[in-house]
Amino acid sequence: MNELKKDSYKKDKEGFIKYPENWNQKVAFELAKLEGIELTMDHWKIINLIRKFYFKFGIFPKMRDLDEFLYKMYGNRLSSRKLYQLFPKNPIFQASKIAGLPKPTVCI
């Protein structure tokens, strides 16, 4: 994969991109790489779900909400343990960062 120009997705000091409209899958892969995460289909389920939730409601899902929406959309539940395996630092924060969204203000 070619390195993306850092100007194409300027980040704040915590690594969240400043202009979500510049987000795309290539940016997501690059941000994930910086987080030490190799994206899988399970990662994309979470990323897409958080983006959909955020753009529909204007807020971030809580862990319980995330689990319920995953079940409704994909028919399976991901335990908190599995979410932390996918996004070890913090599922909502890391997934939001990779999804090109602002820093969440929700508690776990």
Side-chain angles (χ1 to χ4, degrees), residues 15-99:
F16 290 86
I17 68 171
K18 291 184 177 183
Y19 306 106
E21 64 273 11
N22 292 342
W23 182 88
N24 58 44
Q25 285 189 347
K26 287 182 182 181
V27 170
F29 279 109
E30 192 67 24
L31 293 171
K33 184 177 170 184
L34 293 172
E35 291 290 312
I37 294 173
E38 187 174 328
L39 296 177
T40 66
M41 290 304 294
D42 283 340
H43 288 97
W44 281 108
K45 287 178 184 178
I46 306 300
I47 291 166
N48 290 327
L49 181 75
I50 286 177
R51 284 183 62 82
K52 189 174 197 173
F53 191 98
Y54 180 81
F55 288 118
K56 183 173 183 176
F57 299 110
I59 60 173
F60 292 94
K62 294 178 182 158
M63 291 287 278
R64 184 176 295 172
D65 297 332
L66 188 57
D67 180 56
E68 288 179 25
F69 280 100
L70 284 168
Y71 183 71
K72 286 179 184 176
M73 289 180 70
Y74 300 108
N76 64 341
R77 293 196 181 273
L78 290 178
S79 67
S80 293
R81 180 177 291 166
K82 177 66 174 175
L83 289 171
Y84 272 97
Q85 288 172 350
L86 294 170
F87 301 99
K89 293 179 184 172
N90 179 312
I92 301 296
F93 278 52
Q94 271 190 309
S96 296
K97 185 183 285 187
I98 295 167

Side-chain angles (χ1 to χ4, degrees), residues 11-16 35 97 103:
K11 300 181 295 180
D12 66 16
K13 64 182 178 178
E14 295 180 84
F16 290 86
E35 291 290 312
K97 185 183 285 187
K103 182 180 177 183

